[in-house]
Amino acid sequence: MTVIGAPLLAGALDPGTGLALRLPVEAILVLLLAVAVPNGVIRRVAAYAFGAVTVIAALVALLDLSFRGTIDRGFAATEDWRAVINAYKVVQDVVGPITAALAALVVIGVAVAAVFVVGRCVLRCALTVTRLGARGRTAVAAAATAWVILSVVGAQHPTGAAVAAADVTRTLVGEAVQAAESIPEQVAFERAIQDDSLANSGRDDLLAGLRGKDVVIAFVESYGEVAVSGAGPMAGITRLIDESAERLTENGYRAESAFLTSPTFGGVSWLAHGTLQSGARVDTQQKYDTLLSSERMTLSRLFGDAGWRTVTVNPAHTEPWPEGAAFYGFDRMLDERELAFDGPAFGFARVPDQYTWQRFFDEELARGGAPIMAEVSLVSSHTPWTPTPRLVPWSDLGDGSIFAGQLDDGATASVWPDEHRVRADYAESMEYSLGATLSFLETYDPADLVLVLVGDHQPSRVVSGPDADSDVPVTIVSKDPAVFGRIEAWGWDAGFRPSANAPVLRMDAFRDRFVDAFSG
């Protein structure tokens, strides 16, 4: 039964496919080989190779299922190993390094043991078939004939899956086909990023409409269209934005909003960052790596060329990031170490967004001198969406140790099968991230600030729903009416959040439209 059942695992991980009453071709082929080849060494090699291939196919299918459940696309073996590593880091931040390492060792151990068990079962079956002589060979031949007939007639299990199964083959061939199809797409991308309308832009009027202003592009983690839908627990987000907007409007602020179509969904935020900055749609890790090695102009480099001091603030960066200077052109990078947060770690999002804003203000905005262009990453709304920090008085932030007492309530990570709890936790974290941002504007009222507040991607489908698209809100906030005069032709919604009928723009189109509007 192990020999028959093991090749069906890859298919069983495909929703709607069952294990019962299905005949795997891979099991038939390995038994045919074992019967045809009397050599013991070759038989053992074939048996354990069968076990290895079967386990690899099951692992690929499991990764594919996990990717579809989180970032809404299948696993691509040629591109997504870094995403697997990042996912491990998220787990490590939630459960701790020791527990995460033990879990990884268990997975590896189970996989190795499975290869051994399946291989041994194949050898035992082959020995049994050989001992049966003509009857054994007839049984295997009958199984092969039955598989061919069932395949030709298209016989199906009640679940809709083919009775003549080839799950291992289909899974691995699918990965190979995906890898082959990605090659011409990658070549086309490499050519496209070389054709840059803003390359070598030495215009005297470059971004002249923003001269003397501090420009901040703030990416809010998982800030998708669902967050401003007002449905269910999202009503609290709408209420928070509207109440803050009323106070900010009384203080002279104005805002216009729309939607951008993100290249990613549910995660892999840096693809959205690279897309908005470069004006090229970056929807795979392979494309992102190619982008970083190119000469494509980014918004931050354009601002730097026009006289701005450029800064990135990313509390999720815990390791050196040379691409920040080499590709994005940032003069300074405020990462987790530079932010010097001395409070408790809130899961993956170690540094609360309120503290991030405070440090950015103290380190850059309050310094004076050359205007600042910054990309700020707000990560308190990163999955898993608990524990969530709470706002504290800005004057009490200090080194962040004031947050220590906020973890005493024993908050734990969301239980993913509990959809209602996950949605509520997401809404709570989003209220915190947006609340910290809007409270920062109210409290510090930075002079001559132009804020571009934008989401990186929708949250996973457990929150955003099965029919959600990839759109994320974008809002431009400023006190200067001239800023909105420059973008009047865009036809964006007035206000701090877009309506359901707000204009939608591809995220990769934002760079050129923004530069055109504020230059000249």
Side-chain angles (χ1 to χ4, degrees):
M1 289 303 296
T2 301
V3 176
I4 300 298
L8 298 176
L9 288 175
L13 293 169
D14 185 10
T17 300
L19 280 170
L21 299 177
R22 302 182 69 228
L23 192 61
V25 69
E26 297 85 5
I28 296 171
L29 291 175
V30 75
L31 287 177
L32 283 173
L33 178 63
V35 170
V37 178
N39 186 293
V41 174
I42 296 178
R43 184 179 287 185
R44 283 194 294 273
V45 170
Y48 289 114
F50 171 79
V53 169
T54 299
V55 171
I56 290 172
L59 290 174
V60 169
L62 180 60
L63 286 169
D64 191 76
L65 181 66
S66 301
F67 271 59
R68 293 188 187 281
T70 52
I71 63 175
D72 202 45
R73 65 171 177 81
F75 172 72
T78 55
E79 300 174 357
D80 288 328
W81 291 113
R82 183 179 299 182
V84 174
I85 294 172
N86 287 326
Y88 173 77
K89 291 180 179 179
V90 172
V91 174
Q92 188 180 55
D93 288 327
V94 174
V95 303
I98 296 177
T99 303
L102 289 175
L105 288 174
V106 168
V107 170
I108 294 171
V110 168
V112 173
V115 172
F116 177 78
V117 169
V118 173
R120 292 292 298 173
C121 288
V122 170
L123 291 174
R124 178 166 295 185
C125 286
L127 180 62
T128 301
V129 170
T130 301
R131 286 174 177 174
L132 289 174
R135 286 185 299 167
R137 292 191 294 273
T138 300
V140 176
T145 303
W147 189 93
V148 172
I149 294 173
L150 291 170
S151 178
V152 170
V153 301
Q156 290 187 333
H157 186 268
T159 62
V163 175
D167 296 340
V168 170
T169 303
R170 188 183 71 247
T171 298
L172 297 182
V173 168
E175 284 297 318
V177 169
Q178 186 278 332
E181 290 177 345
S182 69
I183 294 175
E185 182 180 348
Q186 179 68 17
V187 171
F189 177 78
E190 292 173 2
R191 291 174 180 170
I193 60 176
Q194 293 173 7
D195 183 17
D196 189 356
S197 60
L198 296 179
N200 303 315
S201 181
R203 299 163 52 181
D204 293 335
D205 62 356
L206 181 64
L207 299 167
L210 294 170
R211 294 266 169 84
K213 299 184 183 302
D214 294 316
V215 180
V216 176
I217 299 174
F219 276 100
V220 184
E221 173 66 37
S222 300
Y223 182 32
E225 183 178 15
V226 66
V228 293
S229 66
M234 310 306 161
I237 302 174
T238 300
R239 184 166 53 252
L240 178 140
I241 294 175
D242 291 348
E243 290 175 354
S244 298
E246 184 176 353
R247 295 190 297 270
L248 288 168
T249 301
E250 291 176 355
N251 195 27
Y253 282 97
R254 177 179 167 185
E256 291 190 3
S257 301
F259 290 107
L260 300 179
T261 301
S262 175
T264 184
F265 189 106
V268 204
S269 305
W270 53 92
L271 302 184
H273 296 201
T275 294
L276 185 136
Q277 278 261 15
S278 70
R281 180 176 171 80
V282 187
D283 54 7
T284 68
Q285 183 63 46
Q286 189 174 12
K287 289 180 182 177
Y288 185 74
D289 292 339
T290 300
L291 179 71
L292 293 186
S293 63
S294 74
E295 295 297 323
R296 184 84 178 182
M297 291 299 293
T298 60
L299 279 172
S300 44
R301 287 176 63 190
L302 289 165
F303 271 98
D305 290 347
W308 272 261
R309 172 177 165 81
T310 57
V311 180
T312 179
V313 186
N314 195 331
H317 277 166
T318 58
E319 300 174 358
W321 188 46
E323 295 86 357
F327 174 71
Y328 285 100
F330 291 120
D331 297 316
R332 185 183 184 190
M333 291 172 278
L334 286 167
D335 56 13
E336 183 188 45
R337 182 182 59 83
E338 290 285 333
L339 289 172
F341 178 65
D342 197 27
F346 286 84
F348 174 84
R350 297 172 180 270
V351 183
D353 290 342
Q354 185 183 12
Y355 181 86
T356 297
W357 278 120
Q358 171 75 59
R359 288 285 293 160
F360 171 57
F361 180 83
D362 290 343
E363 290 289 315
E364 293 295 337
L365 288 183
R367 289 176 50 177
I372 301 296
M373 181 275 169
E375 179 186 303
V376 178
S377 295
L378 304 172
V379 297
S380 288
S381 49
H382 194 287
T383 181
W385 296 296
T386 193
T388 298
R390 297 186 296 274
L391 290 178
V392 300
W394 289 89
S395 58
D396 295 342
L397 275 170
D399 61 2
S401 56
I402 189 174
F403 289 98
Q406 295 192 9
L407 294 182
D408 294 341
D409 57 3
T412 57
S414 299
V415 181
W416 280 93
D418 187 346
E419 179 179 335
H420 297 292
R421 179 183 169 186
V422 174
R423 287 173 61 84
D425 287 342
Y426 167 79
E428 180 182 352
S429 71
M430 193 56 60
E431 287 182 46
Y432 171 77
S433 289
L434 295 174
T437 301
L438 298 174
S439 177
F440 169 76
L441 291 178
E442 287 186 61
T443 303
Y444 289 97
D445 192 18
D448 294 320
L449 176 69
V450 176
L451 172 65
V452 181
L453 190 65
V454 60
D456 49 12
H457 54 70
Q458 288 262 48
S460 58
R461 291 213 176 272
V462 70
V463 173
S464 58
D467 301 321
D469 54 31
S470 299
D471 295 344
V472 298
V474 58
T475 300
I476 294 180
V477 184
S478 177
K479 281 189 171 183
D480 187 354
V483 169
F484 300 99
R486 292 266 183 172
I487 64 172
E488 183 178 359
W490 295 4
W492 285 18
D493 284 357
F496 286 74
R497 59 180 176 87
S499 69
N501 298 318
V504 180
L505 179 73
R506 283 171 57 111
M507 188 174 281
D508 51 294
F510 180 83
R511 183 200 69 164
D512 288 7
R513 180 175 285 197
F514 186 85
V515 172
D516 287 345
F518 290 103
S519 299

